[in-house]
Amino acid sequence: MLCVLLCFALCLYECRGAPNVVLIIADDLGWNDVGFHGSNQIPTPNIDALFSSGLSLQNHYVAPICTPSRAALMTGKYPIHTGMQHGVLYGIEPRGLPLSEKILPQYLKELGYKTHLVGKWHLGSYKREYLPLNRGFDSHIGFWTGKIDMYDHTTQENGLWGFDFRRGFSVAHDLFGKYVTDVYTDEALKIISEHDKSEPLFLMVGHSAVHTGNPYEPIRAPEDLVANFSQIEDPQRRKFAAMLTKLDESVGKVVESLQRHSLLKNSIILFSTDNGGAAGGFNLNAASNYPLKGVKNTLWEGGVRGAAALWSPLLSKVPRVASQRLHIADWLPTFLSAAEANISISNLDGIDQWGALSQDLKSQRTSVVHNIDNIFGSASITVDQWKLHNGTNYHGAWDFWYGPSGREGSYDVNAVLSSAAGRAIAELGMMPTEEEILKLREASIINCQEVEPISCRPLEAPCLFNIEEDACERRNLAGLEPEVLQRLLQELDKINRTSVPPNNQPLDPRGDPKFWGRTYTNFGDYQRPEFVC
Ligand SMILES: *[C@@H]1O[C@H](CO)[C@@H](O)[C@H](O)[C@H]1NC(C)=O
Ligand SMILES: *[C@@H]1O[C@H](CO)[C@@H](O)[C@H](O)[C@H]1NC(C)=O
Ligand SMILES: *[C@@H]1O[C@H](CO)[C@@H](O)[C@H](O)[C@H]1NC(C)=O
Ligand SMILES: *[C@@H]1O[C@H](CO)[C@@H](O)[C@H](O)[C@H]1NC(C)=O
């Protein structure tokens, strides 16, 4: 009898095998762009299905901008410890995430995973050795730089312009004109349907949405879908809504496909933004972080509190709103732990959160380094309930609160249940009832406390907030809590001493796409630039 039980218990693990890990990373999605966070303006029923049947992550921190955030996700380290802390990587910049870093797909590959990247890379492309296929991914369709036009797949930056779309190392000219979210969805579905179930799957879908493309038409989405949002007055926000809807539909199709191929029951899905939303016209975009302060590439909560949900049947206490404090660097050790990898890696900033998230235990993470950028002159850390700001970006031009709130109108909870993702999850018996969904959503909505504001001028003096009580960063307590302020300044000083210099490089004109058939390429591999001849 004991043996039967033991064998059965063993089989549960052995027969199941390591979990599939699916990362869906949205680009520049704001806190308030997920319907589950309180906005009724742009329905995101598929994304909300993940939030409502898994963990709605309330205290999930990301880096304020793309390259640093993806570097942290891939390495399990703060950007200040890999030299990736200052700004983004440019297509003609001879730089990449240091090759000394072993990254998530490399660890997973060693555990027998098949590893696929669909979409954005943005961690270095001037030499082949920095590209996804040389850093642990078995396949890649997508782009190398920071953003592309959704239809023509070109990018304009630093006054240059070129095509940036690849199938592995080859230029994918054949996909020109196809809406890029559809390209990613088709590829993800193909990977899922062709996946050999005897091996675990690692699939990362790095969406282009909802980042802007090029200045000639920053936000692009199918016209008939844009027309569906005529009730939204701001024309940019209307296009944004259509772009976000395409992203949401993609999430639904991926979840549905995982279920159809019997992979969902043994999957862990992380849906997350890479950084806060580009609101109020920042980057020519129309995201919303309401009611949080600031935008992408600022260290206010609107820039670093990342909209995210973790979903898996392997989590014990779901669904719930998870208040555990997390940083995007935590996902590497967390996924390795979920895969029962039993390896210890030194020098990680990331913490294994699997047990805390699954069992609803206290997070081991008491502090978060939001960033220290000594070129911009901005730094922010959170320790316990306290958040410190020293300096700010853009000389303070984006240190405000932006809408829209989207709170008018009503929430269509039925759309969540009847979404593609909702129906797939229901097949596993994991969808909560309408009432439960509404309760969880209510608990996921951040409302600013009624506090008397105390102004903060971070260029003049450091600011201090009680972030647990004042998520909206309206009441600067630096003057009222001088001892706490000193303690955090000392802590910042201490952490600053551990940071490595940023590895940004001057742009290399050899990389100009005009020399390479109008294409961004791995120009650093060519000793004698062809254009010289
Ligand atoms: C626009 O909305 C209508 C009504 O909800 C729907 O039938 C139609 O499919 C939508 N159009 C697109 C392109 O999604
Ligand atoms: C994990 O690894 C350590 C040392 O590498 C070993 O002592 C331990 O038995 C392993 N645990 C499991 C559950 O495999
Ligand atoms: C705060 O910022 C200023 C200006 O960038 C810098 O000189 C100072 O060292 C910082 N203070 C601490 C404690 O980090
Ligand atoms: C960090 O240290 C550098 C010198 O190594 C200094 O220039 C900079 O101001 C410090 N920044 C902070 C935020 O302490």
Side-chain angles (χ1 to χ4, degrees), residues 102-116:
K102 182 170 171 180
I103 69 172
L104 181 59
Q106 293 173 312
Y107 285 108
L108 292 174
K109 214 169 151 64
E110 282 179 7
L111 297 173
Y113 280 74
K114 280 282 178 289
T115 55
H116 303 276

Side-chain angles (χ1 to χ4, degrees), residues 222-229 245 249:
E223 291 298 333
D224 53 346
L225 196 49
V226 176
N228 257 13
F229 289 97
T245 298
E249 286 173 1

Side-chain angles (χ1 to χ4, degrees), residues 89-97 99 121 123-131 144-145 503 505-506 508 510-511 516 520-526:
L89 240 157
Y90 293 111
I92 66 163
E93 185 183 353
R95 166 169 89 111
L97 178 65
L99 296 171
W121 173 237
L123 288 173
S125 52
Y126 84 107
K127 286 186 171 175
R128 280 170 86 99
E129 56 194 350
Y130 287 94
L131 290 165
W144 293 351
T145 66
N503 51 28
Q505 295 294 318
D508 186 340
R510 284 187 310 158
W516 310 97
Y520 279 94
T521 191
N522 48 313
F523 62 92
D525 286 324
Y526 301 91

Side-chain angles (χ1 to χ4, degrees), residues 293 452-458 462-463 465 474-478:
K293 183 176 181 177
E452 179 147 359
I454 305 178
S455 75
C456 155
R457 295 193 185 82
C463 302
F465 297 91
R474 299 201 302 180
R475 192 169 159 82
N476 172 19
L477 301 174

Side-chain angles (χ1 to χ4, degrees), residues 192-267:
I192 291 167
S193 71
E194 291 174 358
H195 180 69
D196 173 356
K197 268 180 250 137
S198 66
E199 297 159 329
L201 169 69
F202 174 59
L203 171 61
M204 175 167 167
V205 186
H207 278 280
S208 292
V210 291
H211 201 298
T212 43
N214 298 324
Y216 49 80
E217 198 181 347
I219 308 176
R220 298 186 80 180
E223 291 298 333
D224 53 346
L225 196 49
V226 176
N228 257 13
F229 289 97
S230 55
Q231 76 281 9
I232 299 178
E233 248 172 68
D234 173 2
Q236 294 303 94
R237 181 76 177 163
R238 203 180 301 148
K239 290 195 233 172
F240 181 95
M243 179 164 65
L244 173 53
T245 298
K246 291 294 286 180
L247 167 64
D248 183 69
E249 286 173 1
S250 175
V251 171
K253 285 179 181 168
V254 166
V255 175
E256 181 182 58
S257 174
L258 287 167
Q259 171 62 1
R260 189 167 345 112
H261 294 92
S262 306
L263 294 167
L264 189 62
K265 61 178 184 292
N266 191 28
S267 289

